[in-house]
Amino acid sequence: MKNGDTPETTRSLTLRDVSEASGVSEMTVSRVLRNRGDVSKETRKKVLDAAKRLGYVPNKIAGALASKRVNLVAVVIPSMSNMVFPEVMSSISAELEDTELQPVVGLTNYVPEQEEKVLYEMLSWRPSGVIVAGLEHTEASRAMLRNAGIPVVEIMDVDGEPIDTAVGISHRRAGRMMAQAILKAGYEHIGFLGTKMPLDHRARKRFEGFTEALAKAGCEIEDQEFYSGGSALKKGREMTQAMLERSPDLDFLYFSNDMIGAGGLLYLREQGIDIPGQIGLAGFNGVELLDGLPQQLATMDACRTEIGAIAARIIADRTSGQESEYGKRVELTPKIQYGETLKR
Amino acid sequence: MKNGDTPETTRSLTLRDVSEASGVSEMTVSRVLRNRGDVSKETRKKVLDAAKRLGYVPNKIAGALASKRVNLVAVVIPSMSNMVFPEVMSSISAELEDTELQPVVGLTNYVPEQEEKVLYEMLSWRPSGVIVAGLEHTEASRAMLRNAGIPVVEIMDVDGEPIDTAVGISHRRAGRMMAQAILKAGYEHIGFLGTKMPLDHRARKRFEGFTEALAKAGCEIEDQEFYSGGSALKKGREMTQAMLERSPDLDFLYFSNDMIGAGGLLYLREQGIDIPGQIGLAGFNGVELLDGLPQQLATMDACRTEIGAIAARIIADRTSGQESEYGKRVELTPKIQYGETLKR
DNA sequence: GCATGGTATGTTAACGCTAACAGATAATCC
DNA sequence: GGATTATCTGTTAGCGTTAACATACCATGC
């Protein structure tokens, strides 16, 4: 504090204060507080009492510098508003729970330059590992991660060349699978609704896989629309209405995420349209929210819980020097959930 | 790395490496990299070139220890799955954007002991300030925060005694306001549906304010139900169904959050019930999602964007030694949004 | 009685950086 | 021309902790 508005200028406590208060050396205090090395019962108690009485909080900055160990894992993801990422975070946290490691998040908003900045920022804290969403990064980011000398796990996607280790699903394949399921169900006039996100490579890959599989069956997307910003549920509604007014012959709508899919679903039901008979619907992600909709939306699980858990495990294993049971590329298989909006 | 599985044991680069590579002292390198003090154009260029070529990333641990400045703001909130908190986070991030400060999140899951642990953990990194949700903490937590010698802002709630500064709304008052609006609209048989969260003090205070205002008007909650876990949308649906089967005379349902409110809304519409004529509904929070529902749910904005922004501003101001324009207690006023589920 | 070995504590020197001060050089003034 | 100032760069001494080693003490064995 610059201004002395608090009565006592609260100089932060150090080991020395505790050491003086308990009559032992700083080193002994340090040992007690970290449960390291042998310390007699009585000294231990003396020290703990003093520390508690003073309200001592160790200084990890100094500790980290001296020990060259920082028990932080940098987790770099595009956003928190996508539902998917908070869930990945939860499973990472859960998996790290009984290790010494702690996740720290950084957000990129899908902007590669911001990712680069965030990575630089986080690496400057010398974390024990990095978990980063996606395989697409600036050259500088890749160089930083390579040079960091710590485990790096790229998550969510496996369509590409990982820097170190990748854990995820193939979004191309996910797109193909959904296309095949739709065609197999007999739908023929397919519309696509998604986010306007040139930088969301996973959405792009799903779209590519989707159109590719359609093409292979001699079919093409007949209409498409992209949005950005605003309430996804509302956008789903509006885009569905707009698309059907424009292309009334469509018999299937593939949404790039569940939220806009839910909006579309609500809209179509209000219009009295028979789902999945007259029009079929599918989304992507398998968000929990879907459980409460009037009809269960067809979707595809992106395996985000497993992804988070495995990524965290890999970091934890490698940090503790163990051989990880996972290889350099862990591909999980998304499963279609047919729900009630896709004929079988 | 314990195991030498990488060819060159990537010893982390230091200022010394850059200094040697560019032929100037470490101090000058440090100055260039931080844009501090006068450095000639040519030296600056030499240093930046060398740093870039080597891929040097400064060590903030050492920097923070030496300068006793850590540009982090600890943000301690209950969870990320509540929608509300990610939004508060965003507005904090946005407000800190053009300062040197960076937010770092810690989660408590509404458990006071976990909050204590998280605070201890975060304070051991010596952040420049703390933003923490709620006014209820363990005595140890309060002591830690008091002794930390840094600005502490408690957010979301103002019903209580802040440690340092509080920014939020009065949830008691919010509950009262909603009760008054409901009564004024002529509803008389009111049911309450909420989360089973003995530790969610804000939900509790809203409930207290709500019942208090009803009591003052000689009215009482006629039925109530609490849930925990699972898809909120689905739970809203199920609880609404259960409650109406049990208490068919109810003419208003007050939900403790918008998500279960949305579930109730969808259910009642499917049952062909006239909203808000036959039954009125209201939630709490004003989440964006509501925008896409078939009918706009009545709700009350918790001012979370402003709260985040103001809290961040207070920390930023105080950190830079400025006199903050805000006092020790900033109470914002939630506004009822009547939507289409509450008669006027 | 002296080596042997554990247990409990202390001492010293980093860790990589920055604050504070101390030069060195060149430019400016009266 | 010497003092004054501005501009640039270097030197030294920590920041608060921990690793690694050193020491002191007591017990045990033969």
Side-chain angles (χ1 to χ4, degrees):
Chain A
M1 297 299 85
K2 285 265 170 53
N3 54 342
D5 58 2
T6 34
E8 69 283 72
T9 306
T10 333
R11 186 187 54 81
S12 205
L13 294 167
T14 72
L15 275 186
R16 156 147 248 110
D17 297 291
V18 185
S19 124
E20 281 168 2
S22 55
V24 299
S25 74
E26 298 173 41
M27 196 57 224
T28 303
V29 177
S30 170
R31 281 197 267 254
V32 170
L33 264 27
R34 286 178 302 143
N35 279 315
R36 202 108 349 156
D38 302 311
V39 181
S40 74
K41 266 256 162 82
E42 312 98 70
T43 341
R44 166 185 279 331
K45 185 168 162 12
K46 258 194 310 191
V47 169
L48 287 176
D49 283 354
K52 184 153 201 185
R53 182 156 38 80
L54 295 176
Y56 172 72
V57 178
N59 186 334
K60 287 217 174 169
I61 307 254
L65 183 62
S67 68
K68 302 174 143 227
R69 265 187 273 98
V70 181
N71 294 324
L72 297 177
V73 177
V75 183
V76 177
I77 55 182
S79 103
M80 274 296 192
S81 45
N82 193 323
M83 301 272 237
V84 178
F85 297 110
E87 270 183 70
V88 176
M89 273 309 304
S90 306
S91 74
I92 291 175
S93 300
E95 188 69 31
L96 295 181
E97 191 77 3
D98 40 37
T99 71
E100 306 224 277
L101 299 172
Q102 274 231 321
V104 182
V105 206
L107 303 179
T108 71
N109 288 311
Y110 291 97
V111 180
E113 288 72 28
Q114 203 169 334
E115 182 183 78
E116 188 178 313
K117 233 181 79 187
V118 167
L119 280 171
Y120 186 79
E121 187 74 25
M122 306 212 93
L123 288 178
S124 74
W125 289 103
R126 300 289 188 266
S128 292
V130 178
I131 297 177
V132 52
L135 293 161
E136 286 76 15
H137 316 287
T138 66
E139 198 36 61
S141 295
R142 299 179 61 91
M144 266 192 280
L145 290 171
R146 264 195 312 267
N147 292 333
I150 53 177
V152 175
V153 181
E154 290 166 280
I155 57 170
M156 311 305 283
D157 191 3
V158 297
D159 292 328
E161 211 43 60
I163 297 169
D164 171 356
T165 302
V167 180
I169 64 170
S170 161
H171 286 263
R172 285 228 171 69
R173 178 152 167 240
R176 285 200 302 272
M177 283 169 67
M178 188 52 92
Q180 284 152 7
I182 291 168
L183 292 172
K184 191 163 163 214
Y187 296 105
E188 293 179 322
H189 305 285
I190 299 167
F192 181 89
L193 303 92
T195 39
K196 195 184 295 166
M197 280 243 149
L199 295 168
D200 184 343
H201 299 282
R202 294 176 288 288
R204 192 201 73 222
K205 289 172 186 174
R206 284 199 300 279
F207 183 68
E208 287 169 4
F210 188 72
T211 52
E212 177 199 319
L214 289 187
K216 197 162 283 176
C219 181
E220 240 182 34
I221 284 179
E222 294 187 12
D223 195 356
Q224 59 189 53
E225 182 151 351
F226 301 89
Y227 79 102
S228 67
S231 156
L233 203 62
K234 187 176 185 187
K235 287 289 179 184
R237 211 172 247 287
E238 294 169 353
M239 289 200 296
T240 303
Q241 176 170 17
M243 184 171 288
L244 285 182
E245 277 166 9
R246 203 165 51 217
S247 318
D249 291 341
L250 294 178
D251 63 0
F252 198 93
L253 301 179
Y254 181 37
F255 296 88
S256 80
N257 72 62
D258 284 340
M259 211 58 174
I260 54 174
L265 173 66
L266 290 177
Y267 171 74
L268 293 174
R269 285 178 60 90
E270 283 162 30
Q271 302 302 307
I273 289 170
D274 168 35
I275 305 172
Q278 195 174 344
I279 298 188
L281 302 176
F284 182 81
N285 261 338
V287 300
E288 199 186 44
L289 161 94
L290 298 181
D291 246 10
L293 292 176
Q295 242 177 313
Q296 190 81 20
L297 184 68
T299 189
M300 186 174 268
D301 180 26
C303 307
R304 51 214 182 291
T305 312
E306 300 91 309
I307 289 175
I310 295 175
R313 188 99 303 277
I314 290 176
I315 301 277
D317 285 350
R318 294 233 251 139
T319 301
S320 67
Q322 284 173 48
E323 196 59 36
S324 184
E325 61 176 301
Y326 301 101
K328 290 289 181 190
R329 193 163 168 288
V330 183
E331 176 170 355
L332 301 173
T333 311
K335 269 203 287 293
I336 289 189
Q337 299 163 222
Y338 283 84
E340 303 158 353
T341 65
L342 175 51
K343 286 185 294 197
R344 299 205 64 165
Chain B
M1 301 298 83
K2 284 267 169 53
N3 54 343
D5 59 3
T6 34
E8 70 283 73
T9 307
T10 332
R11 185 188 55 80
S12 203
L13 295 167
T14 72
L15 274 187
R16 156 146 247 111
D17 297 292
V18 184
S19 122
E20 280 167 2
S22 54
V24 299
S25 74
E26 298 174 41
M27 195 60 224
T28 303
V29 177
S30 170
R31 280 196 269 253
V32 170
L33 264 28
R34 287 177 300 145
N35 279 313
R36 203 112 343 160
D38 302 310
V39 181
S40 73
K41 266 258 163 80
E42 312 97 69
T43 339
R44 162 183 279 344
K45 184 167 166 5
K46 257 194 311 193
V47 169
L48 286 177
D49 283 355
K52 183 153 201 181
R53 181 156 37 80
L54 297 176
Y56 173 71
V57 178
N59 185 333
K60 287 219 175 170
I61 307 250
L65 184 62
S67 68
K68 306 177 138 220
R69 264 187 274 98
V70 181
N71 295 324
L72 297 177
V73 177
V75 183
V76 177
I77 55 181
S79 105
M80 274 297 192
S81 46
N82 193 321
M83 302 272 238
V84 178
F85 297 110
E87 271 183 69
V88 176
M89 274 309 304
S90 307
S91 73
I92 291 174
S93 300
E95 188 70 31
L96 294 181
E97 192 76 3
D98 39 38
T99 71
E100 306 224 279
L101 299 172
Q102 274 231 321
V104 182
V105 206
L107 303 180
T108 71
N109 288 312
Y110 291 98
V111 180
E113 288 72 29
Q114 204 169 333
E115 182 183 79
E116 189 178 312
K117 234 180 79 187
V118 168
L119 280 171
Y120 185 80
E121 187 73 25
M122 307 211 92
L123 288 178
S124 74
W125 288 102
R126 300 288 188 269
S128 292
V130 178
I131 297 177
V132 52
L135 294 160
E136 286 77 17
H137 316 287
T138 66
E139 199 35 63
S141 296
R142 298 179 62 90
M144 266 192 282
L145 290 171
R146 264 196 311 266
N147 292 333
I150 54 176
V152 175
V153 182
E154 290 165 280
I155 56 169
M156 311 306 282
D157 191 3
V158 297
D159 292 328
E161 211 44 59
I163 297 169
D164 171 355
T165 302
V167 180
I169 64 169
S170 162
H171 287 261
R172 286 229 170 70
R173 179 152 165 239
R176 285 200 302 272
M177 282 169 67
M178 189 52 93
Q180 284 154 6
I182 291 167
L183 292 172
K184 191 162 163 213
Y187 297 105
E188 291 179 323
H189 305 284
I190 300 166
F192 181 88
L193 302 90
T195 39
K196 196 184 294 168
M197 282 245 146
L199 295 168
D200 184 345
H201 299 282
R202 293 176 288 287
R204 192 201 75 221
K205 289 172 186 174
R206 284 199 299 279
F207 184 69
E208 287 170 3
F210 189 71
T211 52
E212 178 198 318
L214 289 187
K216 197 162 281 178
C219 181
E220 240 181 34
I221 283 178
E222 293 186 14
D223 195 354
Q224 58 190 52
E225 183 152 349
F226 301 89
Y227 79 102
S228 67
S231 156
L233 204 62
K234 187 177 185 188
K235 287 290 179 182
R237 208 174 252 286
E238 293 169 353
M239 290 200 295
T240 303
Q241 176 170 18
M243 184 171 287
L244 285 181
E245 277 166 11
R246 202 164 53 216
S247 318
D249 291 342
L250 294 178
D251 63 0
F252 198 92
L253 300 178
Y254 180 37
F255 296 87
S256 80
N257 71 60
D258 285 339
M259 211 59 174
I260 53 173
L265 173 65
L266 290 177
Y267 171 75
L268 292 174
R269 285 177 59 92
E270 283 162 29
Q271 301 302 307
I273 288 171
D274 167 35
I275 304 173
Q278 197 175 341
I279 298 188
L281 301 175
F284 182 82
N285 261 339
V287 299
E288 199 185 44
L289 161 95
L290 297 180
D291 247 9
L293 292 176
Q295 242 177 314
Q296 190 81 22
L297 185 68
T299 189
M300 188 176 267
D301 179 28
C303 306
R304 51 214 183 290
T305 311
E306 299 91 310
I307 289 175
I310 295 175
R313 188 99 302 277
I314 291 175
I315 301 278
D317 286 349
R318 292 233 253 140
T319 301
S320 66
Q322 283 173 48
E323 197 58 39
S324 183
E325 61 177 301
Y326 301 101
K328 289 291 179 188
R329 192 163 168 289
V330 183
E331 175 170 355
L332 301 172
T333 310
K335 270 203 286 292
I336 290 188
Q337 298 162 222
Y338 283 84
E340 302 159 353
T341 65
L342 175 52
K343 287 185 294 195
R344 301 206 58 166

